[in-house]
């Protein structure tokens, strides 16, 4: 692997002056917000929402609710295959940093949070539809997600990752609208009340191949559970402030992207099924193009096929077969 694949990591600040790079998946949350005539107001409002959410959750020794600010970095991971010199945009994630105005300290947050991947677009928007085309019954290819999962694990286990990040990633996604979630008695002071799904989903299985397990928690001040994908022990491997940085960041994005679920006017009950047709919700003052996001996933999947899968198919298949 080390001889055939080289990872490089680049970062850029996600602030109100952010402009998406040419290699950014423009369907990803932060890039979608940073386009059009409302781009600067979108970003400013989203960052304010994140800070307000963080301070509401980190309320101890914070009487005015303005002690902390969350800074965001977009982490872009490129991969060079077989020393070709051609860097393919592998994944994009977010890193949080917490600025404490009381102590004038900068505190590392969590890396991961949002998760964007051209190869994931290929798997879900190209490979899966082609596999099921003209089929009477839906099925999943036997090797579905294998390459993506092994590449992700290889990156997380690489020296490059360890040089840049102290802890494994945590990725936070929305819940699935075709599953039912049952509230449990387990409660964490920051993550909130734990929910259990009635069944496993394709997304769970896909992320499991990336070496990630999942738990569902509804944090304080939230109205629906979030899906936390992680390695190790989510509740004990990360500090309260680290967890709050992820909750505030991704909870804000979900309110913008999934207002029917995360900005609903009613709190999830003991038995909860998310509903994307829920009319009883509030909209944020942020412009977000969900229709375009869905349409572009297919285009980005085709980009991955043309520039990654097809040119290096033999190398990728050989490596995948031998990677433990």
């Amino acid at each position: 692997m080390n001889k055939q694949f080289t990872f490089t990591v680049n970062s850029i600040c996600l602030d109100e002056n952010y402009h998406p790079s040419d290699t950014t998946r423009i369907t990803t949350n932060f890039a979608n917000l940073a386009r059009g005539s409302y781009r600067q107001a979108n970003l400013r409002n989203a960052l304010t929402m994140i800070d307000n959410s963080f301070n509401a959750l980190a309320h101890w020794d914070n009487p005015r609710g303005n002690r902390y600010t969350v800074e965001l970095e977009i982490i872009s991971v490129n991969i060079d295959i077989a020393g070709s010199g051609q860097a393919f945009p592998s994944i994009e994630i977010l890193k949080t940093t917490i600025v404490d105005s009381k102590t004038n300290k900068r505190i590392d947050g969590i890396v991961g949070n949002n998760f964007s991947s051209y190869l994931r677009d290929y798997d879900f928007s190209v490979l899966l539809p082609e596999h099921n085309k003209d089929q009477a019954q839906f099925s999943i290819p036997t090797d579905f997600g294998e390459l993506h999962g092994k590449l992700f694990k290889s990156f997380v286990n690489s020296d490059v990752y360890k040089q840049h990040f102290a802890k494994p990633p945590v990725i936070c996604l929305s819940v699935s609208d075709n599953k039912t979630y049952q509230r449990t008695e387990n409660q964490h002071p920051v993550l909130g009340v734990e929910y259990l799904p009635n069944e496993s989903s394709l997304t769970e299985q896909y992320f499991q191949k990336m070496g990630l397990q999942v738990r569902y928690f509804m944090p304080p001040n939230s109205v629906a559970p979030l899906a936390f994908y992680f390695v190790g022990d989510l509740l004990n491997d990360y500090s309260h402030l680290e967890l709050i940085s992820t909750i505030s960041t991704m909870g804000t994005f979900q309110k913008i992207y999934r207002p029917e679920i995360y900005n609903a006017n009613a709190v999830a009950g003991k038995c909860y099924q998310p509903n994307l047709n829920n009319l009883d919700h509030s909209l944020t003052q942020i412009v977000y193009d969900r229709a375009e996001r869905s349409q572009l996933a297919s285009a980005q999947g085709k980009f991955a096929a043309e520039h990654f899968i097809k040119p290096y198919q033999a190398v990728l298949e050989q490596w995948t077969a031998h990677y433990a």
Side-chain angles (χ1 to χ4, degrees):
M1 174 64 188
N2 292 334
K3 294 180 180 179
Q4 294 181 324
F5 294 74
T6 303
F7 293 107
T8 56
V9 172
N10 300 304
S11 67
I12 184 172
C13 291
L14 175 54
D15 55 22
E16 64 181 60
N17 299 311
Y18 164 70
H19 286 272
S21 71
D22 293 337
T23 57
T24 291
R25 283 173 70 255
I26 53 177
T27 59
T28 198
N29 290 323
F30 45 80
N32 189 297
L33 297 182
R35 303 167 67 212
S37 58
Y38 297 99
R39 56 168 302 281
Q40 196 165 46
N42 277 347
L43 291 166
R44 187 183 300 120
N45 290 337
L47 294 169
T48 298
M49 287 175 64
I50 291 170
D51 288 345
N52 289 342
S53 175
F54 189 101
N55 282 289
L57 289 169
H59 50 77
W60 58 92
D61 290 339
N62 188 8
R64 295 182 180 272
N66 62 356
R67 176 173 175 172
Y68 301 101
T69 301
V70 179
E71 293 183 358
L72 300 176
E73 285 181 90
I74 301 168
I75 307 298
S76 301
V77 183
N78 294 329
I79 184 169
D80 179 0
I81 302 176
S84 65
Q86 299 295 316
F88 179 79
S90 175
I91 62 173
E92 275 189 333
I93 49 182
L94 284 178
K95 182 182 183 299
T96 59
T97 299
I98 305 144
V99 181
D100 185 344
S101 64
K102 183 177 180 178
T103 63
N104 292 321
K105 289 183 178 180
R106 296 173 59 82
I107 305 163
D108 275 344
I110 284 178
V111 64
N113 302 292
N114 190 82
F115 180 76
S116 302
S117 164
Y118 276 101
L119 186 51
R120 183 187 179 198
D121 283 339
Y122 168 77
D123 283 338
F124 279 92
S125 299
V126 177
L127 179 62
L128 196 58
E130 287 181 355
H131 176 76
N132 284 283
K133 188 177 181 180
D134 300 325
Q135 299 298 314
Q137 189 172 357
F138 179 84
S139 64
I140 302 169
T142 54
D143 59 348
F144 186 72
E146 289 290 333
L147 173 61
H148 183 272
K150 290 179 177 180
L151 283 173
F152 182 82
K153 286 191 288 187
S154 178
F155 169 62
V156 172
N157 291 326
S158 70
D159 291 337
V160 172
Y161 183 93
K162 294 170 184 176
Q163 288 166 7
H164 285 85
F165 313 113
K167 294 184 180 181
V170 176
I171 296 167
C172 183
L173 305 180
S174 64
V175 287
S176 172
D177 62 331
N178 58 14
K179 290 167 58 176
T180 301
Y181 300 84
Q182 190 74 35
R183 185 187 298 177
T184 72
E185 297 300 319
N186 191 36
Q187 187 165 350
H188 183 272
V190 166
L191 290 167
V193 180
E194 185 165 20
Y195 278 75
L196 295 178
N198 63 326
E199 60 182 354
S200 177
S201 68
L202 182 55
T203 298
E204 286 183 8
Q205 295 163 23
Y206 194 83
F207 276 76
Q208 188 175 35
K209 291 186 177 181
M210 295 162 58
L212 303 174
Q213 54 186 310
V214 65
R215 293 178 74 170
Y216 298 88
F217 286 90
M218 184 168 71
N221 309 325
S222 299
V223 297
L226 291 161
F228 295 88
Y229 289 86
F230 61 95
V231 178
D233 186 344
L234 177 67
L235 277 62
N236 294 301
D237 289 348
Y238 303 91
S239 71
H240 285 183
L241 291 182
E242 287 174 325
L243 293 172
I244 291 173
S245 73
T246 288
I247 294 166
S248 59
T249 299
M250 297 313 299
T252 293
F253 280 133
Q254 296 302 348
K255 284 181 180 180
I256 298 166
Y257 175 51
R258 288 272 191 261
E260 300 89 345
I261 297 174
Y262 291 99
N263 222 26
N265 295 323
V267 179
K270 292 182 178 180
C271 185
Y272 174 64
Q273 181 168 8
N275 180 10
L276 287 174
N277 296 314
N278 172 36
L279 298 178
D280 185 23
H281 68 273
S282 302
L283 296 176
T284 65
Q285 299 298 309
I286 296 172
V287 180
Y288 192 97
D289 194 333
R290 288 201 298 189
E292 183 185 46
R293 184 184 192 275
S294 299
Q295 294 163 4
L296 286 170
S298 177
Q300 291 169 169
K302 292 175 182 176
F303 174 87
E306 180 181 352
H307 296 279
F308 187 69
I309 300 295
K310 292 179 181 178
Y312 305 106
Q313 186 169 3
V315 175
L316 294 170
E317 287 178 352
Q318 182 182 25
W319 177 78
T320 304
H322 292 89
Y323 184 86

